[in-house]
Amino acid sequence: MNEINTKLVSVKDIKVDIDNIQLVADTLRTGGLAAMPTETVYGIAANALDEKAVSRIFSVKGRPQDNPLIVHIADVKELSVLVQEVTPNARKLTEVFWPGALTMVLPSSGLIPKSVNAGLNTIAVRMPGLPVTREIIRRAGVPIAAPSANISGRPSPTTAQHCIDDLWGKVELIADGGECAVGLESTVISLATATPRILRPGTVTPEQIAEVLGCEIEIDESVFNHNNDGVKVSSPGMKYKHYSPKASVTILDGNTEQVMRYLSEQDCDDIWALVFEEDLPFLPISGLSLGKFNDVHEQAFRLFAAFRELDKKGAKHIYARMPNTEGIGLAVYNRMIRAAGFRVINI
Ligand code: AMP
Ligand code: MG
């Protein structure tokens, strides 16, 4: 791949940075790639109607072709042209959760080229919560395909620096919007199944969705389990090892005392712990805080940045404390267990 002359621009202030916002929009409309902020994580964005630009996303990320992309829109009205039908359930969810961190999978109208949705007959759509993201999409005037702006397999980027680390020389623009407020990717829900089904957990929780829809919802087994290659899965992204720092990760499932004793028995170099803030005074080895035990928002916000920070510190092995799996904790757990390649030690 040829080196590209990447430009870094600020889009932190929707008024002050309006020329930069326009530049990102023009770059996308005319077939370029830009890393751009959203409230969840940074996305590597391209015009979803431009197959050449979309194919560059796959090659730059090293993303398998069978892992479909989410299409981002600036206004809820744009949903109806992308999907066969805005069903009553879809309408209810857009009213409560859009703009925001919820992606809906619905039967595709066929407008978006098949390379975007990996040849499936469904399409995943989201209207992002960050105003600057919607302004970029609105000015581009086209739907925007934007998977997370990391090299495939790496932790998703939550700052412009993370995008620089992964994508410098590979995309036309990196738009710096500061730190992502949420820090984990959107919840993905399929409304194309008989019963609505969570394909990827996020900060919009199954409980919240069930309450709005007033019906049972399912959680796809790929959320909890390792999918074997070759098995057909409803969310193709879930079958890949994901979100991994360069260091190997092991999850420790036990109480504070048990975890501290286990860590004190490890005597190799370059081991780091990723623990709750309350654990820090008791740590027998170097460690970082994932946030307070009960603060799942902070844990979601910090997880990917912590993985990247531990890589920079030269960690070879990370022992991470098992997060609480209730509510938003399920999303943190889902990312962590994939980063760990499903290695959990029950102490
Ligand atoms: P990313 O863009 O990196 O946030 O990943 C997008 C996620 O959405 C992946 O887990 C995909 O498998 C999932 N996804 C996108 N489109 C579809 C679809 N049509 N059906 C099911 N899952 C989808
Ligand atoms: Mg991703």
Side-chain angles (χ1 to χ4, degrees):
M1 242 181 287
N2 290 337
E3 271 280 295
I4 290 175
N5 196 2
T6 303
K7 202 171 160 196
L8 176 66
V9 295
S10 169
V11 295
K12 284 184 184 147
D13 188 314
I14 209 162
K15 290 205 182 90
V16 175
D17 295 322
I18 199 67
D19 290 348
N20 290 340
I21 290 168
Q22 188 64 47
L23 176 66
V24 180
D26 292 343
T27 301
L28 293 176
R29 192 181 46 255
T30 55
L33 298 192
M36 67 171 186
T38 79
E39 80 280 24
T40 57
V41 300
Y42 275 74
I44 174 171
N47 178 350
L49 302 174
D50 181 337
E51 292 208 60
K52 239 168 106 187
V54 168
S55 79
R56 270 184 68 204
I57 290 186
F58 284 94
S59 56
V60 164
K61 275 181 65 87
R63 183 173 174 112
Q65 299 282 341
D66 67 350
N67 191 0
L69 309 180
I70 295 173
V71 175
H72 295 72
I73 56 178
D75 194 292
V76 70
K77 290 201 288 282
E78 293 152 26
L79 176 63
S80 62
V81 298
L82 300 180
V83 302
Q84 272 172 25
E85 187 200 344
V86 181
T87 59
N89 276 350
R91 177 71 57 213
K92 283 186 205 162
L93 293 180
T94 61
E95 279 165 8
V96 178
F97 298 111
W98 278 12
L102 181 72
T103 297
M104 288 190 297
V105 172
L106 285 158
S108 170
S109 66
L111 177 75
I112 298 293
K114 285 275 185 191
S115 52
V116 172
N117 56 345
L120 299 170
N121 48 24
T122 53
I123 188 90
V125 189
R126 181 166 94 90
M127 177 181 170
L130 189 70
V132 94
T133 319
R134 294 201 302 278
E135 190 59 23
I136 290 169
I137 301 169
R138 196 180 68 72
R139 285 170 182 258
V142 290
I144 297 293
S148 50
N150 51 285
I151 298 298
S152 245
R154 300 265 298 133
S156 300
T158 57
T159 65
Q161 184 59 52
H162 298 161
C163 298
I164 292 170
D165 292 343
D166 280 17
L167 299 179
W168 195 258
K170 297 178 176 152
V171 295
E172 279 75 12
L173 282 175
I174 293 178
D176 184 355
E179 266 181 309
C180 299
V182 173
L184 288 186
E185 306 85 347
S186 58
T187 303
V188 178
I189 183 156
S190 175
L191 299 178
T193 43
T195 307
R197 181 179 299 170
I198 301 278
L199 302 181
R200 177 175 74 184
T203 51
V204 175
T205 63
E207 295 82 359
Q208 287 174 308
I209 295 174
E211 197 183 325
V212 170
L213 296 183
C215 67
E216 285 289 301
I217 62 168
E218 295 168 351
I219 301 183
D220 199 81
E221 60 179 286
S222 65
V223 168
F224 303 102
N225 298 330
H226 199 357
N227 291 114
N228 297 319
D229 284 347
V231 174
K232 193 174 179 302
V233 291
S234 24
S235 184
M238 284 298 180
K239 75 181 178 187
Y240 297 106
K241 183 163 190 247
H242 246 136
Y243 320 116
S244 305
K246 290 179 187 132
S248 61
V249 180
T250 302
I251 298 177
L252 298 179
D253 190 3
N255 65 31
T256 306
E257 209 184 307
Q258 291 166 326
V259 169
M260 296 308 144
R261 192 171 334 113
Y262 184 92
L263 290 175
S264 66
E265 286 160 4
Q266 312 306 309
D267 65 354
C268 42
D269 292 336
D270 310 317
I271 303 183
W272 282 73
L274 185 58
V275 293
F276 302 121
E277 196 174 310
E278 294 87 341
D279 297 329
L280 289 178
F282 309 107
L283 264 186
I285 63 168
S286 318
L288 279 190
S289 164
L290 186 59
K292 292 202 176 66
F293 175 72
N294 279 324
D295 192 344
V296 276
H297 280 282
E298 192 185 358
Q299 292 166 25
F301 175 74
R302 286 200 43 77
L303 181 69
F304 289 141
F307 280 158
R308 283 180 181 259
E309 199 178 328
L310 289 170
D311 273 344
K312 288 229 157 111
K313 289 181 185 297
K316 294 276 183 303
H317 197 88
I318 300 169
Y319 285 108
R321 263 200 90 165
M322 178 80 161
N324 185 342
T325 58
E326 298 287 303
I328 295 172
L330 180 64
V332 177
Y333 167 74
N334 171 268
R335 306 310 191 273
M336 201 186 258
I337 197 148
R338 279 176 171 70
F342 290 82
R343 255 189 319 275
V344 180
I345 297 178
N346 291 294
I347 309 174

